[in-house]
Amino acid sequence: MKYFKKILSYGIPYIRFAFLNLFFNILYAIFSALAFVGLIPMIQILFGKTNKVLEEPKYEGITNLKDYVENFLNYKVTYYINQDSSKALLLVIFIIISIFLLKNIFNYLALYFITFLRNGVLRDLRAKLYQKIVSLPINFFSEKKKGDLIARVSSDVLELQQSFLSILELIVREPLTILFTLVIMFSISTNLTLFVLIFVPISAGIISIIGKSLKKKSEKVQKEQGQFLSTLEETITGIKIIKAFNVENTFIKKFMLSINRLLKFSNELINRQNLASPISEFLGVLVIGVLLWYGGRMVLIDESIDGAVFIAYMGLAYNILTPAKGLSKAYYSIKKGDAAAKRIIEILNVEDELKNIQNAKEIRAFDKEIYFKNVFFSYGKNIVLNDISLSIKKGETVALVGPSGGGKTTVANLLSRFYDIDSGKIIIDGNSLKEISKKSLNNLIGLVTQDSILFNDSVANNIALGNLNSSIEEIKKAAKMANAHQFIEELADGYNTIIGEGGNKLSGGEKQRLSIARAILKNPKILILDEATSSLDSSSEKLVQNALEKLMENRTSIVIAHRLSTIKKANKIVVLDKGLIIEKGTHEFLINKDSFYKKLVDFQIF
């Protein structure tokens, strides 16, 4: 339960609801036990066995409270029996109904307050998980499956929703119900109650043996849930490719294998969990059976206990069975919840390797240059950049060209600090990148990628991500500069049009122009264009290229594998191949010598 205990710490802000739940659970437990005691006078009246008390008893302190209450009740019953037996019966029935009514009111109030605690904790957990996921570096997501992360935020947290309620029942309500019931049972007959308690450790031992394997089985189920959600997410994302290559059956088989494993693991888990109820009930009935034999002898042979009292005692003994069954179910549920808690805590405990250093610098301007000094970077054992040194002056346009896999995009990713370099330095205006706060670095840089990342929101809100404080006039101005205003106005709801997941209601060129409008609105000091027009048709490319040229005016720009007209205009062309800078210079300088760049131009390979 070590992981589950960590989850419980999230309940501290809602501790007042826990105390209210505890208070009403105590009342519930008391009245649950009293409900069966209240049956004794009614049974005695029905069988004519009432212990008649003719004088009103006197209260002599809390130590004699039980005798006082019993004698006072018998006094009232005796009084009404002497007048009319039906009135005495009505009095007892009224008392019993009142006790059961109060018991159920307190039960509702206990559940009412625990709801705020439980749901508040779950809300905070989801918020913490989401904030953690958003804050983690890019390399974390390259190692984790999206479906598995979704499963942890959704199904694992839902598993805790059940388990969290179970732990509160385990430590509060059910034990209190058993405790108060046992107190009354001891007050009726010590021998009978001790006889019952002999069987409790036996039952607990059997339940514990069954519960030990639940955590491991639950981990398998939750892991497989993440696997099939990952397959589902990949299928939806890549549905065009799946259909185009006629591999629907391949993915169906992959999905079926996953859900068949999930079925197997779920069946094993649930069947083991389902043992809780029948085993605990059988053990309870076994106790009741032995109790009937032992107690029946005390009534019929020894006559050491009244028959009406024994019937009520049997009710009290059975009253222990329900919370005992609840405890066993809660125990199993907590074992499952601990497995879910482990998966959640794993995410919450992930260290952000790229977090800000202490007293990180806040820079608001870019005045001089960006300098890559002897930069090395690798993905695992694969070296991607090898001793890169590069200077980019303020206001320059630098084009990065070269074969695919040469390291062009990696240079942009390192400047954006999506990853940290292995060695060397990246310096902006004399400040090492690691010394600059991530937020201020992100404010300096604008990014337009090949894949236009848009969200299922309105056109205006997608553009406004560049500057959340912008007015609609500023949004429209940015759209006009990006050659996007005209097609936006033609949409059904103009700037309020919802563009669908990933902007799937728009064409490639339209999505790219929205991305450019977003970058224009941000007005970054440093601009990175990562193959921003490579996937467009010629007519869309012309509109996007025109928008990009406007965006690049009077701005420091790093252009990756762009069209030749843009590369020609660059102040500096850097040719990368296999992680090495093999050439630098202007278009004219490189084209006039037998360069690698000249071969790229001749073959139109960028």
Side-chain angles (χ1 to χ4, degrees):
M1 272 181 56
K2 63 178 181 178
Y3 298 104
F4 206 85
K5 288 176 183 176
K6 293 179 181 178
I7 297 296
L8 289 177
S9 65
Y10 285 85
I12 293 173
Y14 307 95
I15 196 72
R16 64 188 185 279
F17 296 116
F19 282 123
L20 286 167
N21 172 263
L22 175 63
F23 173 71
F24 286 110
N25 268 326
I26 291 171
L27 292 177
Y28 166 81
I30 291 171
F31 279 86
S32 183
L34 289 176
F36 291 95
V37 177
L39 293 172
I40 295 175
M42 186 182 74
I43 297 170
Q44 288 175 331
I45 291 171
L46 291 174
F47 289 97
K49 299 283 186 179
T50 302
N51 181 22
K52 294 185 179 180
V53 178
L54 300 175
E55 294 183 6
E56 184 174 349
K58 294 180 180 179
Y59 178 66
E60 297 177 354
I62 195 166
T63 54
N64 296 312
L65 180 63
K66 174 183 173 293
D67 293 336
Y68 171 75
V69 171
E70 185 178 337
N71 290 330
F72 182 79
L73 185 59
N74 283 331
Y75 166 73
K76 285 292 184 182
V77 170
T78 302
Y79 173 77
Y80 283 111
I81 285 176
N82 290 336
Q83 291 186 335
D84 186 348
S85 295
S86 62
K87 286 184 179 180
L89 188 61
L90 283 172
L91 171 66
V92 174
I93 291 171
F94 174 76
I95 291 171
I96 293 170
I97 290 173
S98 299
I99 291 172
F100 273 93
L101 175 63
L102 288 170
K103 168 191 166 183
N104 284 284
I105 288 173
F106 296 139
N107 182 35
Y108 169 75
L109 289 172
L111 292 173
Y112 175 82
F113 288 111
I114 204 62
T115 298
F116 293 100
L117 169 61
R118 182 184 62 179
N119 290 340
V121 168
L122 296 176
R123 189 275 312 272
D124 292 350
L125 260 181
R126 285 194 177 105
K128 195 80 174 176
L129 274 169
Y130 186 80
Q131 290 165 11
K132 184 70 176 184
I133 288 169
V134 170
S135 70
L136 288 171
I138 298 294
N139 61 348
F140 173 82
F141 299 95
S142 61
E143 296 169 2
K144 288 284 184 182
K145 293 182 177 180
K146 285 187 278 186
D148 184 60
L149 289 175
I150 292 168
R152 295 185 194 225
V153 179
S154 55
S155 57
D156 286 351
V157 173
L158 285 174
E159 181 62 51
L160 284 182
Q161 186 174 24
Q162 303 301 322
S163 303
F164 202 80
L165 182 59
S166 297
I167 189 72
L168 292 161
E169 290 176 345
L170 181 64
I171 62 175
V172 179
R173 182 167 127 178
E174 310 301 13
L176 284 175
T177 302
I178 293 172
L179 175 64
F180 288 125
T181 302
L182 284 173
V183 167
I184 294 174
M185 288 170 69
F186 269 113
S187 70
I188 293 173
S189 173
T190 302
N191 290 338
L192 268 177
T193 307
L194 288 173
F195 190 76
V196 171
L197 290 179
I198 291 172
F199 291 90
V200 173
I202 299 172
S203 302
I206 294 171
I207 289 169
S208 178
I209 291 169
I210 297 170
K212 282 181 179 178
S213 65
L214 279 177
K215 181 179 176 182
K216 189 177 289 185
K217 293 183 182 296
S218 185
E219 283 178 349
K220 287 183 179 179
V221 169
Q222 285 148 0
K223 186 176 180 180
E224 198 58 49
Q225 282 176 335
Q227 178 62 45
F228 98 79
L229 282 173
S230 292
T231 305
L232 179 62
E233 188 274 331
E234 287 175 347
T235 302
I236 294 170
T237 302
I239 192 66
K240 288 183 180 178
I241 298 300
I242 291 170
K243 289 184 175 295
F245 285 85
N246 285 326
V247 290
E248 292 97 328
N249 288 336
T250 301
F251 277 81
I252 288 170
K253 286 177 184 176
K254 184 179 179 182
F255 186 78
M256 289 303 297
L257 282 171
S258 179
I259 61 173
N260 284 337
R261 285 194 300 268
L262 181 61
L263 174 66
K264 178 176 177 290
F265 296 149
S266 297
N267 286 344
E268 290 175 356
L269 175 67
I270 292 170
N271 286 335
R272 183 60 60 92
Q273 188 177 2
N274 285 342
L275 280 174
S277 182
I279 285 178
S280 59
E281 185 165 328
F282 173 75
L283 291 171
V285 171
L286 184 63
V287 172
I288 293 294
V290 177
L291 191 61
L292 279 170
W293 172 79
Y294 187 75
R297 289 173 59 85
M298 293 177 70
V299 173
L300 299 174
I301 298 174
D302 302 338
E303 295 184 356
S304 57
I305 187 172
D306 182 75
V309 173
F310 178 67
I311 292 172
Y313 184 91
M314 291 298 299
L316 286 166
Y318 193 80
N319 192 45
I320 292 177
L321 289 182
T322 301
K325 284 171 65 178
L327 282 176
S328 64
K329 287 182 178 179
Y331 176 73
Y332 294 150
S333 184
I334 289 164
K335 284 291 184 183
K336 288 175 64 184
D338 199 39
K342 178 183 177 183
R343 285 165 51 81
I344 290 170
I345 295 298
E346 280 176 357
I347 298 296
L348 294 177
N349 286 346
V350 172
E351 286 292 328
D352 183 0
E353 297 171 356
L354 304 182
K355 65 183 178 182
N356 291 331
I357 63 169
Q358 193 172 3
N359 301 319
K361 295 178 181 178
E362 299 287 335
I363 58 172
R364 291 177 172 79
F366 171 56
D367 299 318
K368 296 177 183 177
E369 71 169 345
I370 302 164
Y371 184 38
F372 287 72
K373 182 180 180 181
N374 305 118
V375 170
F376 287 82
F377 178 74
S378 59
Y379 292 113
K381 294 181 180 179
N382 181 31
I383 297 175
V384 182
L385 295 180
N386 191 349
D387 198 16
I388 296 293
S389 292
L390 174 63
S391 173
I392 303 169
K393 303 292 184 185
K394 180 182 178 181
E396 279 189 337
T397 295
V398 174
L400 303 180
V401 301
S404 178
K408 304 183 297 295
T409 298
T410 302
V411 171
N413 287 339
L414 292 177
L415 179 59
S416 302
R417 212 184 168 204
F418 293 152
Y419 305 91
D420 259 348
I421 59 178
D422 296 338
S423 63
K425 281 188 176 182
I426 300 176
I427 301 167
I428 297 179
D429 285 350
N431 301 302
S432 172
L433 210 61
K434 293 182 179 181
E435 297 172 352
I436 301 170
S437 77
K438 290 195 290 185
K439 186 173 183 179
S440 65
L441 177 65
N442 291 336
N443 286 335
L444 284 181
I445 297 174
L447 181 63
V448 180
T449 61
Q450 177 182 355
D451 298 319
S452 306
I453 309 299
L454 299 173
F455 301 92
N456 191 12
D457 204 338
S458 67
V459 171
N461 286 344
N462 269 281
I463 296 173
L465 288 176
N467 182 357
L468 295 175
N469 297 319
S470 56
S471 65
I472 187 63
E473 288 75 20
E474 290 170 322
I475 291 170
K476 287 183 177 180
K477 183 180 178 182
K480 288 174 182 177
M481 290 181 67
N483 291 333
H485 179 72
Q486 184 175 346
F487 88 78
I488 294 171
E489 288 289 293
E490 292 172 357
L491 295 173
D493 296 314
Y495 281 83
N496 293 319
T497 302
I498 304 298
I499 60 175
E501 186 175 353
N504 58 23
K505 294 182 180 180
L506 305 176
S507 70
E510 289 169 343
K511 289 194 286 186
Q512 198 65 299
R513 279 178 275 165
L514 286 191
S515 296
I516 294 168
R518 184 169 63 197
I520 290 171
L521 191 63
K522 184 177 182 180
N523 191 26
K525 308 297 182 185
I526 302 166
L527 178 64
I528 298 173
L529 303 177
D530 189 355
E531 304 190 47
T533 64
S534 62
S535 61
L536 303 179
D537 58 71
S538 56
S539 59
S540 297
E541 184 180 1
K542 188 175 181 180
L543 286 168
V544 170
Q545 182 61 30
N546 182 263
L548 287 173
E549 288 173 0
K550 292 178 184 176
L551 177 59
M552 292 166 63
E553 287 178 4
N554 303 316
R555 209 180 303 274
T556 307
S557 303
I558 299 170
V559 182
I560 300 171
H562 218 251
R563 55 185 285 175
L564 185 58
S565 60
T566 304
I567 296 171
K568 284 180 179 178
K569 296 176 184 177
N571 302 103
K572 185 188 298 178
I573 298 169
V574 179
V575 184
L576 286 158
D577 186 30
K578 297 178 182 178
L580 294 167
I581 294 178
I582 58 175
E583 293 171 349
K584 293 181 192 175
T586 63
H587 173 75
E588 290 77 13
F589 173 78
L590 293 173
I591 208 75
N592 288 328
K593 69 174 190 173
D594 187 19
S595 64
F596 188 78
Y597 172 75
K598 187 175 186 301
K599 293 176 183 177
L600 294 176
V601 172
D602 291 341
F603 290 101
Q604 290 290 298
I605 300 172
F606 300 104

